[in-house]
Amino acid sequence: GSRAALTMVAAGPEEVEAEERKAVEAYCAKHDINGLVQDLVEGLLRDRPETKPKEHFAHLLRMQVLKEQAAGAVSEVDMAEAAKASEVPGRLLINLFEATKNIISEIVPKDTISIIIQETIKLLHVDRVSLFVYDKRIDMLVLNASNLEQPIRVKPGQGIAGHVFQTQEIVNIRNCYEDERFDKTFDTQTGYRTNNLLTMPIVDFEGDCMGVLQAINKKQDDHFSRVDEILLENLTQHVSIALRNAEVYRAAIVTSERAGALLQMIQALSQDLGVQSMILTITMHANELVQADRCTVFLVDEKKQQLWSVSTDSGKEIRIPKSAGIAGECASNGKLIAIPDAYEDPRFNQEVDRRTGYRTHSILAVPVLRRLPCGGSQAMAVIQMINKSEFDGAIGKFDDEDIQVMETFATFVASKLEGSALIAEQLRANTSEAGKAFDLETASARSSLKAYEASHRGLAIQESAAEGDEEKDG
């Protein structure tokens, strides 16, 4: 200590140098410095790592200390995990921590996807990042990329990302154009060149694959290293948590909006509305229940074998044959029809789209049924929803939850439609609102009530329409 230091100060330069040499030799002998240096150099030459020599020396030293401290108490699996983490330089671990902190702090789905892409680009220093999120409802991988304005859908098993999703394997390609699994179509169309890529499955805590995270074109290097794989593998664990939280949030928002729309609809229909007003009310609000782009409500006119509705834009009456299209089949059979892709279904008439310029993708037709006294049921109306709008703005298909909500809603609408025929009893000398809808006068509406009572709650609406037409002919 201090006494040795005073002795060295009092001694001459040669004596001091000799004392220092002895102290250094003693220290080296005590801690086997020569053997340690030899092990580090041999380890470096043996492993020839992609990391810098200093970083690899630090890794070897950490592993040696861990083995000495564990003294056989740590399993091989734990040692392998520790070795994997030890390979990553400290500065990159700090970057990984910051990236994961930023990712799990977001909960809005669209913002979550955006920040995952941004943080992955920063962490791995790459040109582009693609995030494929699996959507169970449509059985597709939804591709969100740093270079795309709108998401693209990919089938599981399609391309490298689809392969990784199905197999949960890590794919690290050094030269994409020399790998037969790489599809050059995108590069050919855009002029972009994909040199190398690293693709990692996103696996949740239950072992299910939620999607794929893909890094493209490593900057300042010609390939992705082992350290890049470790960083991305750890990042995807937090990405899975963020995506799960975002999905829960999305479901909560959809449920809240659906409940609000259903409550508004019930309140609106609880008022004393005529048939025409009821149709317009259902049409204007029903799409909010299942986030549909368009909705049409058709009433069934059995006497004329027609479906009729009212345009929400012009208020004009629309009539089509009962046997026409998806709505006609739904009304005739009294069965719900859900179509994920209208153009793949032979029952859909594409001429309407060609004439209007609108593109119909998904359809949900729900019958509004009344129970017959003799048993069974008969369609009074059809609620037809077109083009399911997803949370990200893309068009999807109507799922089981949508069907359940619309079936419940159709039951409520059925009771209101049945009750609406009874408003004819309260009509005065002027034309009723229901009469306007069917071009009926008050007398015709009253006769329809008699017909309704005589037929034990028959389809008074349709019979009224037929009687109204007979009066006009007379």
Side-chain angles (χ1 to χ4, degrees), residues 41-42 49 63 162 168 184 211 246 312 326 379 385 393 400:
V41 174
E42 288 178 353
M63 292 307 302
Q168 297 189 19
K184 305 181 183 67
T312 55
I326 307 298
M385 321 296 293
D400 293 339

Side-chain angles (χ1 to χ4, degrees), residues 392-463:
D392 58 5
I395 298 175
K397 66 179 182 180
F398 296 97
D399 57 24
D400 293 339
E401 290 184 6
D402 298 325
I403 292 173
Q404 184 178 2
V405 168
M406 287 307 300
E407 285 182 330
T408 302
F409 177 65
T411 302
F412 177 77
V413 171
S415 64
K416 300 302 294 182
L417 281 179
E418 284 185 303
S420 69
L422 299 178
I423 64 173
E425 186 178 30
Q426 304 170 3
L427 294 177
R428 305 293 184 185
N430 296 327
T431 303
S432 71
E433 187 176 17
K436 290 179 182 178
F438 287 97
D439 296 324
L440 292 177
E441 298 298 330
T442 303
S444 176
R446 286 178 175 168
S447 66
S448 72
L449 177 59
K450 294 179 181 179
Y452 175 82
E453 294 171 344
S455 61
H456 302 284
R457 301 180 63 83
L459 295 179
I461 295 177
Q462 288 79 1
E463 293 175 354

Side-chain angles (χ1 to χ4, degrees), residues 37 51 70 82 102 117 154 164 176 191 210 242 251 298 311 325 336 353 436 457:
V37 172
T51 56
N102 293 336
I117 292 174
V154 179
V164 170
C176 292
M210 301 180 64
F298 294 97
S311 171
L336 181 143
D353 279 11
K436 290 179 182 178
R457 301 180 63 83

Side-chain angles (χ1 to χ4, degrees), residues 282-296:
I282 296 171
T283 302
M284 287 187 292
H285 294 286
N287 57 345
E288 297 178 10
L289 292 176
V290 292
Q291 292 78 48
D293 184 46
R294 293 186 177 184
C295 171
T296 305

Side-chain angles (χ1 to χ4, degrees), residues 120-160:
T120 306
I121 289 176
K122 285 186 350 185
L123 179 64
L124 298 184
H125 299 284
V126 296
D127 186 39
R128 292 181 178 181
V129 166
S130 298
L131 174 61
F132 299 80
V133 181
Y134 180 62
D135 191 334
K136 294 181 180 178
R137 295 167 300 172
I138 59 177
D139 190 28
M140 297 282 279
L141 289 167
V142 180
L143 166 60
N144 298 268
S146 53
N147 60 304
L148 293 178
E149 295 182 0
Q150 295 295 330
I152 297 175
R153 294 178 179 182
V154 179
K155 295 180 180 179
Q158 180 181 346
I160 293 175

